[in-house]
Amino acid sequence: MSYRYWDSHGGVGRGTFAAVGGVLRTDDEEYRGKDGRAQRFRTVITRVGDTRYDVATDTLVDGHWRSVRTVSYTRGAPRPPKTEASRSTAVAQLR
């Protein structure tokens, strides 16, 4: 799967994801900032059960891959539906 990512600072990332051995990975993302500077990234997304997945991202620095971040995302409990009373309270807080 090919993707493009535009960030709020004017940069653009491009790459492809592939399913490999039960994970999603990209090994070829290039991000080009608004200033024209390019960076290379690779990311591995691993599903950990029904409610969590982990994302590990590396960047290429001087010919070596370095960890940028590792994040775990966990699905929380569903929120109760909003009622008219909760909407009114939220609107009152905005005033």
Side-chain angles (χ1 to χ4, degrees):
M1 169 180 80
S2 295
Y3 66 91
R4 255 186 214 157
Y5 166 79
W6 288 269
D7 73 12
S8 60
H9 302 287
V12 178
R14 295 177 181 158
T16 56
F17 271 103
V20 178
V23 301
L24 282 177
R25 67 181 305 134
T26 180
D27 292 320
D28 64 346
E29 180 180 354
E30 180 181 274
Y31 172 82
R32 190 164 299 272
K34 183 178 179 179
D35 61 0
R37 190 172 67 107
Q39 293 177 278
R40 295 285 313 267
F41 291 97
R42 67 181 182 188
T43 299
V44 176
I45 302 172
T46 306
R47 185 175 178 176
V48 183
D50 290 336
T51 60
R52 188 178 119 209
Y53 63 96
D54 296 339
V55 180
T57 302
D58 301 332
T59 189
L60 192 61
V61 177
D62 297 327
H64 301 283
W65 289 104
R66 311 256 188 221
S67 178
V68 175
R69 70 182 150 271
T70 302
V71 180
S72 291
Y73 294 93
T74 303
R75 182 180 303 162
R79 292 183 178 182
K82 291 199 179 243
T83 63
E84 190 56 42
S86 67
R87 285 188 193 99
S88 297
T89 302
V91 169
Q93 290 172 348
L94 292 173
R95 292 185 178 152

